[in-house]
Amino acid sequence: MAFLATIPSHENISYLIRNPTIIIETPTRTPFACLKFVPTNTKANHSSSVCKERTSRSPQPHFPVFQFDEYMDKKAKRVHEALEVAVPLQNPVQVHEAMRYSLLAGGKRVRPILCLASCELVGGDESLAIPAACAVEMIHTMSLIHDDLPCMDNDDLRRGKPTNHKVFGEEIAILAGDALLSLSFEYIAGKTRNVSPDRVVRAIVELGSAVGSGGLVAGQISDIYWEGKEVSLTELEYIHVHKTAKLLEASVVCGAIIGGGSETEIERLRKYARCIGLLFQVVDDILDVTKTSEELGKTAGKDLATNKTTYPKLMGVEGATKFAGKLVDQALQEIAYFDASRVAPLYYLANYIANRQN
């Protein structure tokens, strides 16, 4: 299920119209195209080629005053506090130190924030989705610990600090990742309150499918297999849809499920998330060839050094930038029929992902 198979020009993003078993109701809310459009001044829209590429084609909707930076800081702090409690320093101390080292190392917390934002968008309270948000971040952190191992991507730097195995050794790093993965499902099942059991189970299934052999694992295996080989756009998309986009999609969908969203709302958010999930990787590839290690907080130029196929390698930086612009445009179309005041966080998060600098 490659995103853009047989569409090398990327003019038609048909992968978004999937799953024929889901019937999307006729939207009743006012689409963005009928709203008043004004320029936005949020700091999320950093000056970048992706931003410039989009502004010539896509007007931006008028929202009530929305302090995006404050929103991100507040949500990230809330997630961090919950993670601190979720993983206390206890026996066996060494493995818990390793878990906390990577889990509490900072980062943008994009995935858990997406989970909280989608929950609130469909009418749920933030508190309902905190366990799911923590579970998503635990899984994401596990994937980073394992991805950095010598047998995988073999990296020495993550979030501006030595990678987990450089500090604790490979054995402990592997076990810390395993423990975080196990804890993620225990945590969402045991700590979610005031949500019907069927919705909790559905969220757990969503997370499990995103991280297993049909999700993140499939992407990682393909990434290893195709390293150093000629890779087509279709194959590259398969890698990143599974390795990166699946977990982002699960973050958004789990929040919507926990929040009590309708099937229509959940499917619109799923399509939005598929776009920003692939967008995240396209931007990552661009930053890898345009930024320094100090700016990124991880090793820059690693893809080029290991002869890994990336979007800039196949399309050029300009082509990859245009593709990123189309992905963010399509993502915003998918959430166009939600109430503008409620959907603002997801709108700005899409732009933030497109225009992030690290």
Side-chain angles (χ1 to χ4, degrees), residues 83-223:
L83 291 171
E84 280 265 18
V85 174
V87 187
L89 189 57
Q90 59 188 6
N91 288 322
V93 173
Q94 194 173 13
V95 75
H96 283 94
E97 283 180 339
M99 292 165 69
R100 288 171 59 87
Y101 176 82
S102 294
L103 187 65
L104 304 178
K108 294 172 282 291
R109 307 295 193 200
V110 169
R111 290 158 189 81
I113 293 174
L114 282 166
C115 182
L116 298 180
S118 65
C119 176
E120 292 178 315
L121 173 60
V122 299
D125 186 79
E126 175 193 271
S127 62
L128 302 179
I130 281 292
C134 288
V136 164
E137 191 68 1
M138 290 172 191
I139 292 173
H140 175 55
T141 301
M142 173 278 296
S143 74
L144 299 182
I145 293 172
H146 285 182
D147 198 43
D148 290 334
L149 290 167
C151 62
M152 296 290 187
D153 274 5
N154 191 24
D155 219 328
D156 297 339
L157 193 66
R158 174 71 66 178
R159 292 172 175 168
K161 300 169 63 177
T163 47
N164 197 289
H165 69 274
K166 285 292 180 181
V167 177
F168 298 96
E170 291 179 39
E171 297 90 344
I172 295 298
I174 292 169
L175 292 172
D178 292 345
L180 284 168
L181 178 60
S182 175
L183 178 59
S184 68
F185 292 102
E186 176 188 345
Y187 200 75
I188 190 173
K191 298 297 183 180
T192 304
R193 299 283 186 267
N194 303 315
V195 177
S196 62
D198 62 309
R199 276 158 46 195
V200 177
V201 170
R202 188 176 173 188
I204 290 171
V205 171
E206 187 74 31
L207 270 181
S209 66
V211 75
S213 59
L216 190 152
V217 170
Q220 185 67 60
I221 290 172
S222 301
D223 196 23

Side-chain angles (χ1 to χ4, degrees), residues 30-346:
T30 306
F32 282 178
C34 299
L35 297 175
K36 177 182 178 182
F37 292 97
V38 297
T40 57
N41 296 316
T42 176
K43 292 181 182 179
N45 290 330
H46 301 292
S47 176
S48 77
S49 54
V50 174
C51 185
K52 292 174 182 176
E53 170 63 27
R54 291 191 57 250
T55 51
S56 63
R57 303 194 316 275
S58 305
Q60 298 188 23
H62 172 66
F63 293 116
V65 175
F66 180 73
Q67 301 296 332
F68 177 76
D69 292 330
E70 290 182 15
Y71 176 88
M72 291 293 285
D73 289 344
K74 179 182 177 182
K75 295 297 186 187
K77 182 179 179 182
R78 179 73 181 88
V79 170
H80 188 87
E81 290 171 348
L83 291 171
E84 280 265 18
V85 174
V87 187
L89 189 57
Q90 59 188 6
N91 288 322
V93 173
Q94 194 173 13
V95 75
H96 283 94
E97 283 180 339
M99 292 165 69
R100 288 171 59 87
Y101 176 82
S102 294
L103 187 65
L104 304 178
K108 294 172 282 291
R109 307 295 193 200
V110 169
R111 290 158 189 81
I113 293 174
L114 282 166
C115 182
L116 298 180
S118 65
C119 176
E120 292 178 315
L121 173 60
V122 299
D125 186 79
E126 175 193 271
S127 62
L128 302 179
I130 281 292
C134 288
V136 164
E137 191 68 1
M138 290 172 191
I139 292 173
H140 175 55
T141 301
M142 173 278 296
S143 74
L144 299 182
I145 293 172
H146 285 182
D147 198 43
D148 290 334
L149 290 167
C151 62
M152 296 290 187
D153 274 5
N154 191 24
D155 219 328
D156 297 339
L157 193 66
R158 174 71 66 178
R159 292 172 175 168
K161 300 169 63 177
T163 47
N164 197 289
H165 69 274
K166 285 292 180 181
V167 177
F168 298 96
E170 291 179 39
E171 297 90 344
I172 295 298
I174 292 169
L175 292 172
D178 292 345
L180 284 168
L181 178 60
S182 175
L183 178 59
S184 68
F185 292 102
E186 176 188 345
Y187 200 75
I188 190 173
K191 298 297 183 180
T192 304
R193 299 283 186 267
N194 303 315
V195 177
S196 62
D198 62 309
R199 276 158 46 195
V200 177
V201 170
R202 188 176 173 188
I204 290 171
V205 171
E206 187 74 31
L207 270 181
S209 66
V211 75
S213 59
L216 190 152
V217 170
Q220 185 67 60
I221 290 172
S222 301
D223 196 23
I224 293 169
Y225 176 77
W226 278 317
E227 188 167 339
K229 300 176 182 178
E230 291 295 323
V231 177
S232 68
L233 275 172
T234 299
E235 291 162 340
L236 185 64
E237 285 159 4
Y238 179 90
I239 293 171
H240 294 311
V241 165
H242 292 79
K243 186 177 177 180
T244 303
K246 281 280 191 179
L247 187 55
L248 262 162
E249 179 180 328
S251 304
V252 173
V253 172
C254 282
I257 292 171
I258 293 293
S262 69
E263 289 303 311
T264 300
E265 291 172 324
I266 290 169
E267 288 309 306
R268 287 200 181 281
L269 288 168
R270 185 184 296 280
K271 292 174 184 177
Y272 159 87
R274 286 173 183 167
C275 285
I276 64 169
L278 186 56
L279 171 69
F280 199 96
Q281 185 61 51
V282 175
V283 172
D284 230 33
D285 286 356
I286 294 170
L287 293 175
D288 186 68
V289 296
T290 59
K291 298 292 182 179
T292 66
S293 297
E294 291 72 23
E295 289 172 316
L296 294 178
K298 60 182 180 180
T299 307
K302 189 105 185 337
D303 295 336
L304 185 64
T306 57
N307 195 30
K308 182 174 287 189
T309 302
T310 64
Y311 283 96
K313 183 176 180 179
L314 290 184
M315 307 171 71
V317 172
E318 183 178 352
T321 298
K322 289 181 179 179
F323 182 37
K326 291 177 182 179
L327 284 169
V328 72
D329 283 344
Q330 187 63 47
L332 298 182
Q333 285 300 312
E334 295 301 335
I335 57 172
Y337 296 96
F338 288 97
D339 178 79
S341 62
R342 296 178 71 93
V343 83
L346 292 184

